[in-house]
Amino acid sequence: LSVQGDKSDVLNTAITGLVDMGIHVVSASGNNASNACAGSPSSAALNSSIISVGATDNTDEVPTFSNFGQCVTILAPGKDILSVNYQGGFKILSGTSMASPHVAGAIAVIVSRNISTIQSPIQVKNYVVNSSTQGILTIQGNGINYAGMLN
């Protein structure tokens, strides 16, 4: 999902309902340089199978725009990403909406290669987090650690 706004119990309940039905949900964490737990649907990632994605740049640093905190499940490339332009051609874009498709694609590969063992949203979330590179990224100055960086 490429949506992020103020914290909303209604949106969080709807998104949590999707994962309860077995649908994998990957959400951009937001681009406000603020705590992702203050927004939705990223705040729902803290206690559910939703995966909320923050951004990294090409030097594996966290860009200043990326939201942060306990509600960010994982980080993935999200700065200066070559993307398709809706007006035709290509365009360089930045944001957690550029990072979340990396994770969604990784999940598609994980599920397709582990069809008999890793299927449910919580199994996939745990697999993604446990196989990520952990403890190497912090936000400059405040030391907030993320769950990990997508490999």
Side-chain angles (χ1 to χ4, degrees):
L1 295 172
S2 183
V3 60
Q4 184 69 13
D6 293 337
K7 190 171 183 178
S8 165
D9 290 339
V10 172
L11 180 57
N12 285 356
T13 299
I15 299 299
T16 302
L18 291 173
V19 295
D20 290 346
M21 292 188 298
I23 298 170
H24 300 279
V25 176
V26 178
S27 173
S29 68
N31 304 312
N32 303 324
S34 63
N35 189 334
C37 291
S40 287
S42 58
S43 58
L46 186 59
N47 297 309
S48 75
S49 301
I50 296 164
I51 296 175
S52 177
V53 184
T56 61
D57 64 18
N58 64 350
T59 63
D60 292 335
E61 296 291 328
V62 178
T64 57
F65 61 78
S66 184
N67 281 4
F68 55 85
Q70 290 182 310
C71 292
V72 174
T73 308
I74 195 162
L75 296 160
K79 185 172 183 200
D80 299 331
I81 304 298
L82 182 64
S83 184
V84 176
N85 187 347
Y86 73 94
Q87 296 175 325
F90 299 94
K91 187 176 185 178
I92 302 290
L93 297 171
S94 294
T96 58
S97 292
M98 296 290 101
S100 59
H102 286 88
V103 177
I107 287 171
V109 171
I110 291 164
V111 170
S112 71
R113 292 190 176 173
N114 299 283
I115 196 104
S116 62
T117 57
I118 302 172
Q119 287 296 301
S120 73
I122 192 61
Q123 288 173 322
V124 170
K125 182 176 184 175
N126 289 338
Y127 185 89
V128 167
V129 169
N130 292 333
S131 63
S132 66
T133 302
Q134 300 194 20
I136 63 168
L137 295 172
T138 60
I139 293 181
Q140 299 271 327
N142 69 13
I144 296 174
N145 285 311
Y146 290 88
M149 186 174 62
L150 182 67
N151 290 323

